[in-house]
Amino acid sequence: MQSFLLLTLILLSIGGYYLGRNRAFAVAGGQIRHLHSLPSFYGSYTALWCGLPALIVFAVWATLQPSVIIDLVVSGMPPELRNLPPDQLNLVVNDLKNLVSGNIVSSTPDAAMLDAANRYHNLQLIGNVSLWVVILTLAIAGAAYAWRAISPSLRARNRVEQVVNLLLILSSTVAIFTTIGIVLSVLFESILFFRKVPITEFLFGTQWSPQTALRADQVGSSGAFGSVPLFAGTLLISGIAMVVAVPIGLMAALFLSEYATPKFRAVAKPALEILAGIPTVVYGFFAALTVAPLIREIGAAMGLHVASESALAAGLVMGIMIIPFVSSLSDDVINAVPQSMRDGSYALGATKSETITRVLLPAALPGIVGSILLAVSRAIGETMIVVMAAGLSANLTANPLEAVTTVTVQIVTLLTGDQEFDSPKTLAAFALGLMLFVVTLILNIIALHVVRKYREQYE
Amino acid sequence: MSTTIIETKSALDTALRPAAEAGKQSSLEVTDYDNRQTVGAITVDHPKMVCRNVNVYYGAKQALRNVGIDIGANQVIAFIGPSGCGKSTFLRCLNRMNDTIVTCRVTGQLKLDDEDIYAPVIDVVQLRARIGMVFQKPNPFPKSIYENVAYGPRIHGMVNTKAELDELVRASLERAGLLKEVDKRMNDPGTSLSGGQQQRLCIARAIAVNPEVILMDEPCSALDPIATAKIEELIDELRENYTIVIVTHSMQQAARVSQRTAYFHLGDLIEVGETDQIFTNPKHKLTEDYITGRFG
Ligand SMILES: Nc1ncnc2c1ncn2[C@@H]1O[C@H](COP(=O)(O)OP(=O)(O)OP(=O)(O)O)[C@@H](O)[C@H]1O
Ligand SMILES: [Mg+2]
């Protein structure tokens, strides 16, 4: 029904476009240069007048109609139904909706319910028909208004560009508002959490066992919410990952940009970037099934005790995953160092390695730091590999051979499964999320700052 | 090499010209347009560098044909010619900077003090320390002024102590006529200097490694007349200790700073001679046209 209306509206707008364009030709007497704007702008102008107001009304109407209809139906119900407490009323309304749409109903409908369902159905029909009428009238009226307004002096291009401008602004703010929304929702839940668990315990506590009692008399009824082991685990795994990724990534970048032939580079660079495209869950398999057992065997051969799930396994695989973040970006920044710098160095009798270490790397350093920080953000946020390879136990340890857990993994485990939404256990996930957000935000700001500084380098 | 000498009017065929001809001098008073052989004295009494039969190719394309010329010690020689004629290409052959271009191939003889600089035994790194280069666009490293000049001496291990290095940096800046301007700001980035100062910094950087020859590719093309005058003055002073090759588009500059001038045209070395003679009494029609402004 409503999608048909939308389609009709689009067709009308397309029609409006051609009407407007032809009208522009007509008022110009066939001489386009008499017009203020090109004819297609007059077409777009008419199409916008036809489609935009109708669309806005349509959107508002479509969101309001269901609740208005329900209000009307409820007010027409017999008092014993109407005066039910809100949650029971909700059930009744749900039943009503199911009845209308022909779904299974929780109880056999009585006369009052059937009556209400009828009224609901009728109201819906009336609503839809009047929606059609209103929208079509608006569309035609809008098109007619624009059509009449078309004259050679009408600044159609400016008007259309204004609308496009608005659209661009809206699109650019979507991301911003989403971020703000996410932050706020996480922030409010975190505040709830900090009411139940003191913030100092959360920030500085070294015990993490987020068990809360279902009943007050349950044993071990209070959990511990010290996030230090989690951040330590994150730090450990990310650290191992960076130890792998930074040297390998940098050397790969240097080879690609300075030593490889253009042909080799054209093949090798995209191939390296494929690493970043492998789903992390696949890396997780690799870490849990291949790397972790390997490390355990090597450890056993050397007489070390290695847990079957170890930070080392997760960190190594994560490091491999983020190699392309370091190598690809670093390669770009090293390449961006002007050829004149290389020439200047070679002309002084510098060797290739001297040129790289003394001119290229220092010149590209800010960009390289930026790429490393981006890789760190990626490592901190990574979850899947850690779940599969590093385990869930919140050990506070610096030993990479033991199992650790990370912030993101704990968030996942806290929120999966059936949970009460106001228990400290669930709310803790939001507090962790907030902390993580702040940490990665700071890293990103530093990275952006460094990258911006790099841009000014050779000016 | 083939013994037949083809008298031909097409530039394409001159590419096939026997190499033996390259060094010959013409006896005509003013040579015709069609003559693509070098006119004038290509030899000098005390050559620092000797080049014979130099051909340069970029991939399949030939950029220089049979260039033969001597570069006199403690002299300034200017390369002039219309854009794209191969001046920079030839200059870059002299310190093997063309090695960094993958497609570039150089044949022929180039000698520095009787040593073939393209011989396998030659270490190109040491060669470039002996033949410094200054580029068209000033290209200081994004380091401090001090570090820019100290770069060469450091990589060549020319000094043992910090004091020696300080001394060398200051001396180089002094000789490049820049010391007074930067004495108080040695640790500012080299890129913070003005264009003319940057170019003098690049000259200071080049002379800090104490080269024997300095190649300059249009060193003043990005500079204003005052900065240009300073650099020209500097070139004249540097001549005492160094052999200088300068590429320039400014006839006046060539006349002011050089003792000899070489005119290139479309990959051929057309005429070489004393600067005075080239500018007052050119022997080749093409040279005459170029310096009188009828061409190029
Ligand atoms: N890297 C390169 N690859 C391919 N061809 C090149 C390259 N560098 C120069 N050439 C070609 O070689 C020829 C000579 O170029 P060169 O740069 O030596 O000219 P030039 O005399 O210095 O000109 P200008 O006065 O404009 O600097 C030109 O035709 C140019 O297109
Ligand atoms: Mg050039």
Side-chain angles (χ1 to χ4, degrees), chain A residues 262 339-352 354-355 357-359 362-363 457-459, chain B residues 92 95 97 100 125 128-129 131-133 135 139-143 151-152 154-156 191 205-206 209:
Chain A
Q339 180 63 31
S340 64
M341 295 294 133
R342 296 182 180 85
D343 284 348
S345 175
Y346 290 138
L348 286 171
T351 63
K352 195 156 206 164
E354 283 164 347
T355 304
T357 51
R358 292 172 184 244
V359 177
Q457 193 76 51
Y458 319 107
E459 300 308 309
Chain B
R92 292 164 62 90
N95 69 342
M97 278 301 278
T100 59
V125 165
R128 291 192 191 130
I131 308 180
M133 189 166 197
F135 296 83
N139 60 345
F141 301 127
K143 301 172 181 286
Y151 183 83
R154 279 218 174 102
I155 56 175
H156 294 299
T191 42
R205 186 175 76 181
V209 289

Side-chain angles (χ1 to χ4, degrees), chain B residues 58 61 63 81-90 101 103 136 218 249:
Chain B
Y58 288 111
K61 193 179 138 224
S83 184
C85 63
K87 307 178 296 289
S88 300
T89 301
F90 188 57
I101 299 170
T103 56
Q136 176 170 4
E218 300 179 38
H249 275 289

